[in-house]
Amino acid sequence: MASLNYLWCNRAKFPLGSNAFNRAWAKRILLFSQVLKMNNRRKKLINQGAVIDERAEIGEAKFEGRKNRLTVGGFSFIGRAYMVLHANIIIGERVCINDGVEILTATHDVTDPNWPQIAKDVVIEDYVWIGQGAMILPGVTLGRGAVVGARAVVSKSVAPGAIVAGNPAIPVSKTRSTELHYNPCEFLAANRAWLIG
C-alpha cells in the first residue's frame, strides 16, 4: 500500500468542500511524511537487491546480511522487526509481522568440532500473523494463515491455519478460518487516511 500511485488511485473521494473532504485531506497532509518514510525504506531495500512488492509496507525494521535474500509480497506489513539474511527470507502476501519479531536464518552445528554455520531459508506464506516479540528460527515454514503468538519461539514449521504459542511454540486447540480476506496494510493510520478518509 505504500505506493503513492496505489494510494492516489484508490483514495476515498468526497464532495469538494464537504466536512468529509476537509477531514480526509487534513489527515492525509498530517500523515504524509509517514507514507514517504515507508516508501523510502522499501526503495532503499529494493536498491540493495531485495524483491519487495510496491504495495508492501516496511516499518523501522532492521535487516542484516545480503538484501537480495529478502522477498516480500503485496499488502504485507513488517513492523520494527529484526531479520538476519544468511539465507533467504520469503514473505508472502498479506502477512503481518509485528514489532519486536526476530527472524534468524542461520545457526551453528554444535556437534561438529569446527562449529560450521548452517544457513536455512525461512518461508512465511500468505496471511500469516506473527505476534510481537516472537522469534522464528532457521528452516521454519509458516503455512498459509498460521498465527504465531507474542513472544513465541518457533523452531519447527507450522501447518497452515495453525495457531502456536509458547517457548518452544506448540499448537493451541484453536485453528484459524480458511476464509481470509483482510489486508494488514489497511490498518495503518497513514493508509487509512487515503483509503477511508
Side-chain angles (χ1 to χ4, degrees), residues 7-194:
L7 292 175
W8 178 258
C9 291
N10 293 283
R11 73 190 185 280
K13 297 174 185 171
F14 305 100
L16 183 66
S18 68
N19 284 339
F21 177 90
N22 293 334
R23 273 194 309 272
W25 279 99
K27 290 179 195 175
R28 291 167 184 170
I29 292 166
L30 180 67
L31 298 170
F32 192 65
S33 64
Q34 290 181 24
V35 173
L36 290 178
K37 284 178 187 176
M38 285 187 275
N39 270 277
N40 290 337
R41 286 185 201 112
R42 187 182 62 250
K43 286 179 185 176
K44 183 177 178 182
L45 287 165
I46 290 170
N47 290 341
Q48 295 173 338
V51 177
I52 303 174
D53 189 283
E54 71 173 9
R55 299 161 301 168
E57 295 284 12
I58 309 297
E60 296 175 27
K62 184 176 180 182
F63 302 90
E64 288 189 11
R66 293 179 25 206
K67 308 308 182 284
N68 65 345
R69 293 177 172 151
L70 177 66
T71 302
V72 183
F75 303 110
S76 287
F77 168 73
I78 301 172
R80 292 181 186 95
Y82 173 68
M83 300 184 191
V84 183
L85 297 159
H86 292 296
N88 297 318
I89 296 177
I90 301 164
I91 299 168
E93 295 190 355
R94 299 174 186 261
V95 170
C96 183
I97 300 176
N98 286 102
D99 293 348
V101 169
E102 296 180 57
I103 300 177
L104 308 178
T105 56
T107 186
H108 291 273
D109 184 351
V110 295
T111 63
D112 187 316
N114 294 317
W115 200 52
Q117 185 181 75
I118 302 167
K120 295 181 182 178
D121 295 348
V122 170
V123 177
I124 301 168
E125 296 180 358
D126 300 347
Y127 288 105
V128 168
W129 175 23
I130 305 176
Q132 185 160 347
M135 179 178 284
I136 312 301
L137 297 178
V140 165
T141 294
L142 301 176
R144 183 185 189 279
V147 176
V148 176
R151 304 279 184 227
V153 177
V154 183
S155 61
K156 296 179 182 175
S157 293
V158 178
I163 301 171
V164 298
N167 179 6
I170 57 171
V172 299
S173 59
K174 298 178 185 177
T175 58
R176 199 158 189 210
S177 169
T178 56
E179 291 294 320
L180 299 169
H181 306 288
Y182 66 90
N183 174 352
C185 296
E186 287 181 354
F187 295 101
L188 301 173
N191 289 340
R192 290 178 68 83
W194 287 90

